[in-house]
Amino acid sequence: MQNLFSLLALLACVSSFVSATALTYKLTPNEKACFFTWVENKGAKVAFYFAVQAGGSFDVDYSVVGPNEKIIMEGTKERQGDFVFTAMDPGEIRVCFNNEMSTFAEKFVDFEIAVENEERAKLPSRQGTSPEQTTALEESIYKLSGQLSTINRNQKYFRTRENRNFSTVRSTERRIFNFSVIEGVMMVTMAGLQVFIVRFFFQGARKGYV
């Protein structure tokens, strides 16, 4: 019971050192949208993930700008990205998505910004527990946290693939339906034209006999 309490306490401490923002944003044509997060301490780890879930060719321009307008990273026509970088200075970090290259296609972008400090949480100790046991438990928990992060990234990847494949299926169905409608209209038009031509020939033949 005490081990469970210690585990929950450490997990609570770890979560208090991480601040994250996960959003889905609808990016309209010719729009540039920016989002902001604040880094308290120098050397903090910043994780940035994004994926275009639907719209156009599933690509978008992005940029990450740090304090003093210093460009940390940027890219053009990217479908998704998963980055981790160290903030060299405390201050505001700006993440921007640019859809100005698109004139009619709106896009849905999933993204997450997480800020994690370097400092590790301390596991509450109890009497009769050696430091080696406490350290082993801490390392196991941090390893478990890393594995959960890997699972989370894999889930995001498969979700993105599923959304893109579903969008492709819907696009294919729409094209097949449009092609079928056009084909039906052409068949009816050709049939009517053939009837008109045959009637024209017969009417011309009757007039010749008269």
Side-chain angles (χ1 to χ4, degrees):
M1 186 66 181
Q2 292 181 352
N3 290 334
L4 179 61
F5 174 76
S6 300
L7 177 61
L8 294 176
L10 180 59
L11 290 176
C13 293
V14 170
S15 62
S16 64
F17 284 96
V18 180
S19 59
T21 301
L23 295 172
T24 299
Y25 186 77
K26 179 181 178 181
L27 200 62
T28 59
N30 298 318
E31 180 186 4
K32 181 179 181 180
C34 294
F35 304 88
F36 304 87
T37 188
W38 186 266
V39 176
E40 295 288 345
N41 302 321
K42 179 180 179 180
K45 296 292 184 181
V46 181
F48 169 54
Y49 166 84
F50 77 93
V52 182
Q53 299 292 341
S57 300
F58 302 97
D59 56 356
V60 71
D61 299 342
Y62 73 93
S63 62
V64 180
V65 182
N68 302 321
E69 297 299 318
K70 181 180 179 181
I71 297 179
I72 299 175
M73 63 180 67
E74 60 182 351
T76 58
K77 295 184 179 181
E78 297 288 344
R79 293 190 169 190
Q80 66 183 61
D82 192 358
F83 312 99
V84 178
F85 60 91
T86 302
M88 304 307 298
D89 298 302
E92 186 179 71
I93 293 180
R94 183 173 75 249
V95 178
C96 296
F97 298 101
N98 192 341
N99 195 30
E100 294 179 351
M101 61 181 175
S102 179
T103 56
F104 62 91
E106 59 186 23
K107 299 173 182 179
F108 290 87
V109 182
D110 280 358
F111 69 96
E112 181 177 356
I113 307 171
V115 180
E116 181 179 0
N117 293 324
E118 294 276 350
E119 183 179 357
R120 279 193 171 189
K122 298 297 183 181
L123 183 67
S125 59
R126 61 170 181 167
Q127 294 181 352
T129 303
S130 63
E132 291 78 8
Q133 293 176 344
T134 303
T135 303
L137 181 58
E138 287 180 350
E139 294 299 330
S140 299
I141 292 175
Y142 282 111
K143 184 181 296 184
L144 179 62
S145 176
Q147 293 175 351
L148 290 176
S149 299
T150 302
I151 294 174
N152 188 26
R153 287 195 297 270
N154 290 335
Q155 287 179 336
K156 291 178 181 177
Y157 171 77
F158 288 121
R159 179 189 175 189
T160 301
R161 291 294 301 272
E162 179 184 6
N163 290 337
R164 291 176 181 172
N165 292 337
F166 185 69
S167 179
T168 302
V169 170
R170 287 189 300 179
S171 176
T172 304
E173 289 179 348
R174 186 165 55 250
R175 293 177 182 177
I176 293 175
F177 175 78
N178 294 336
F179 179 77
S180 300
V181 172
I182 294 174
E183 185 180 14
V185 172
M186 291 180 62
M187 292 178 63
V188 172
T189 303
M190 291 296 296
L193 184 61
Q194 289 176 355
V195 171
F196 174 78
I197 293 175
V198 171
R199 291 184 61 184
F200 177 78
F201 283 152
F202 277 101
Q203 289 176 357
R206 290 177 180 179
K207 289 181 180 179
Y209 283 116
V210 173

